[in-house]
Amino acid sequence: MSEGQHGKRSAGLLLFRHTGNGLEVLIGHMGGPFYARRDAGAWTLPKGEYGPDETAWDAARREFREELGLPPPDGEAVALGEVTQANGKVVTAWAIEAELDPAAMVPGTFTMEWPPRSGQRQEFPELDRVEWMAPERARTLLVKAQTVFLDRLAEHSAGESAFGQ
């Protein structure tokens, strides 16, 4: 969210499910005042930063729990690789096929000075909502670099159906 992210690493989970309407993914709208009135580019997969003492996989699962207040689902993890966002942060992601009720989310929070230079500190949700949506819609809302994860998930799903798995 801030400048100077170069060298920072983040990891997350992209849940997906197959419905009568096709493939859907679960993404979250970033909380806080900077994203309150934005839609395009203000959505992300549940993810967060980690340091050298934690693996990306462990961080992805921890961050899922912290941001959604729910345990990360079990299931086969499909590696979606890494992307580098415009701010320089490297994001590693996995996809897991699972069900989740967005209404069950209890978001983690962060505190920041708001309004700027006011001396007042306010608490905001890390994600203010999560939503299941078709990849085509998610593509218009996600942080631009993260749309690559949708392409990689589609490749995996196409390969799965081609082999009847």
Side-chain angles (χ1 to χ4, degrees):
M1 290 197 326
S2 65
E3 291 184 31
Q5 298 279 351
H6 297 284
K8 296 207 175 182
R9 299 190 67 83
S10 189
L13 300 177
L14 178 64
L15 299 193
F16 69 98
R17 67 183 183 184
H18 296 279
T19 71
N21 296 326
L23 183 69
E24 291 185 339
V25 294
L26 184 80
I27 61 172
H29 185 268
M30 291 183 262
F34 299 121
Y35 300 101
R37 292 187 176 87
R38 287 183 52 199
D39 228 14
W43 291 71
T44 181
L45 59 131
K47 64 169 185 53
E49 292 180 8
Y50 66 99
D53 56 334
E54 187 176 26
T55 68
W57 171 247
D58 288 342
R61 294 179 57 78
R62 174 184 52 76
E63 286 291 335
F64 187 92
R65 182 182 302 273
E66 288 178 10
E67 293 202 350
L68 276 64
L70 300 167
D74 292 323
E76 178 192 353
V78 177
L80 299 177
E82 295 182 344
V83 297
T84 301
Q85 297 185 158
N87 62 8
K89 183 184 287 184
V90 176
V91 180
T92 305
W94 288 267
I96 298 178
E97 187 168 5
E99 280 296 329
L100 182 139
D101 178 0
M105 180 180 102
V106 181
T109 60
F110 67 95
T111 303
M112 65 179 279
E113 182 180 18
W114 191 258
R117 297 176 293 287
S118 67
Q120 299 176 334
R121 300 207 38 92
Q122 290 190 45
E123 197 170 272
F124 298 97
E126 292 196 42
L127 296 176
D128 56 27
R129 65 190 182 276
V130 294
E131 195 176 308
W132 287 104
M133 60 184 71
E136 299 76 29
R137 179 165 176 248
R139 181 176 303 284
T140 67
L141 300 175
L142 274 171
V143 170
K144 189 170 176 52
Q146 293 181 25
T147 61
V148 171
F149 294 138
L150 299 175
D151 298 335
R152 293 174 185 166
L153 177 60
E155 289 169 15
H156 168 78
S157 294
E160 225 179 45
S161 60
F163 297 106
Q165 295 176 332

